[in-house]
Amino acid sequence: MSETRLASLAALAVVIHTLEGMIPMPFPWMRLGLANIVTLVVLALSGLGSALMVTVVRVVVGSLIAGQLLGPGFFLALAGGTAATVGMGLLHRVAGGGLSLVGVSLAGAFLHNAAQLAVAGLVYTRHAGVFYLLPVLMGLALPTGLVTGWLAERVVRRMKDDGESVNG
Amino acid sequence: MRPDRVVTTGDIIVFVLLLAATAAGVAFASRSRPAGEEAAIEVNGVLREKLALSVDRLLKIESPYGFNTVEVSGGRIRVREASCSNKICAAQGWVHRETEEIVCLPNRFSVRVAGRGGEKYDGITR
């Protein structure tokens, strides 16, 4: 994947991340994780290094746009994003063809929420009650991970059909 | 059109494992947190009242930041009325389990449910 294409995809991730932040949710910290579609696509087409770059760019630029750079939300997003991306990259490599992006995305959504909660509980609130949110966040990761994974898999298939080189 | 089978057996296994982990988490969270015995009310980080949840009562807590009226009934506690603008504290409703907490940021007011003798430990494993 060329640097230009990678940069375009990172920019796309920032756009999705920002638009997604405008969708009203019952809790301000709740997200569908649609920007993760880009991370998954890059992961499948270009590997973990590129996917990690997209995630970090998305979180840094996305927080900058939202005016939350270096705030608590930024570090939560960074922890969740990197944990999820590294985890998904390793799982994708280990599982090979055994898992589609759906399974990879599900695991990533879980890791994302668990890492965020760990940072929230250990660094920010230091309140044991936070960890009672874990089952809630785990439950929320199931539908969102499923939807983003399915969409990413469809996108990757379409790109391959259109002649995108897989490791170029 | 190519056959569009997206989900693999591995995906289903991952889904089932994560679903089981969630169910276990829910079961653990609901079982490991017993009903509280008392509620500590703080204003601006300073303890104002400790209320036993076994005694039903209505209490108005006033401070320079505003007032919150708490109601204890049937082992539970809630904020019934508040002077704050958003009323999030009142909308939260009843709480009764240990470590559950109602916070009213505008009034710097919080109610935290605790077991007998307060919170000596974050948690106990046996």
Side-chain angles (χ1 to χ4, degrees):
Chain A
M1 187 176 284
S2 70
E3 278 182 15
T4 316
R5 158 127 297 172
L6 191 58
S8 312
L9 285 170
L12 178 64
V14 170
V15 170
I16 296 176
H17 180 95
T18 304
L19 290 177
E20 194 179 51
M22 299 174 181
I23 301 175
M25 284 283 156
F27 300 100
W29 40 262
M30 232 168 119
R31 273 180 174 274
L32 293 174
L34 293 175
N36 196 40
I37 294 171
V38 181
T39 302
L40 282 160
V41 169
V42 172
L43 184 66
L45 296 179
S46 187
L48 175 55
S50 306
L52 205 52
M53 208 206 77
V54 167
T55 301
V56 172
V57 168
R58 168 175 69 78
V59 172
V60 172
V61 180
S63 302
L64 194 62
I65 289 174
Q68 294 177 339
L69 193 61
L70 304 186
F74 166 75
F75 288 106
L76 291 179
L78 193 64
T82 46
T85 307
V86 171
M88 291 192 300
L90 297 179
L91 190 63
H92 188 63
R93 198 172 298 172
V94 171
L99 288 182
S100 76
L101 289 182
V102 176
V104 174
S105 167
L106 275 169
F110 254 64
L111 280 172
H112 181 273
N113 290 358
Q116 283 204 326
L117 199 62
V119 172
L122 299 175
V123 180
Y124 287 115
T125 63
R126 298 177 166 276
H127 186 318
V130 168
F131 292 102
Y132 288 104
L133 266 178
L134 187 58
V136 178
L137 291 178
M138 287 158 83
L140 288 173
L142 287 174
T144 58
L146 209 58
V147 169
T148 53
W150 185 78
L151 288 170
E153 182 70 32
R154 294 296 300 265
V155 170
V156 167
R157 286 181 186 207
R158 177 64 72 85
M159 286 174 85
K160 284 180 180 171
D161 283 349
D162 288 351
E164 172 75 21
S165 64
V166 177
N167 290 309
Chain B
M1 287 288 276
R2 58 155 72 189
D4 254 356
R5 193 172 141 65
V6 169
V7 178
T8 67
T9 314
D11 293 335
I12 296 168
I13 293 172
V14 168
F15 183 81
V16 170
L17 283 179
L18 296 182
L19 192 64
T22 304
V26 171
F28 178 79
S30 57
R31 207 176 289 178
S32 70
R33 185 153 61 160
E37 308 261 341
E38 60 180 25
I41 296 172
E42 292 183 1
V43 175
N44 206 16
V46 180
L47 184 68
R48 280 282 290 269
E49 291 283 345
K50 277 201 171 188
L51 302 179
L53 293 183
S54 52
V55 183
D56 291 0
R57 66 181 292 191
L58 205 58
L59 182 66
K60 188 173 184 177
I61 306 286
E62 283 178 286
S63 75
Y65 309 107
F67 74 86
N68 299 71
T69 304
V70 296
E71 178 179 10
V72 180
S73 174
R76 306 173 302 165
I77 186 164
R78 70 165 172 172
V79 173
R80 184 163 156 163
E81 277 181 281
S83 60
C84 60
S85 55
N86 52 28
K87 316 283 187 210
I88 289 174
C89 49
Q92 189 176 342
W94 297 96
V95 296
H96 73 287
R97 291 184 180 278
E98 276 182 30
T99 76
E100 275 187 322
E101 190 162 5
I102 301 173
V103 175
C104 177
L105 282 180
N107 292 356
R108 306 196 182 191
F109 166 97
S110 73
V111 181
R112 185 192 284 204
V113 180
R116 190 177 293 283
E119 292 178 0
K120 274 193 219 153
Y121 312 103
D122 285 342
I124 297 172
T125 175
R126 293 179 233 266

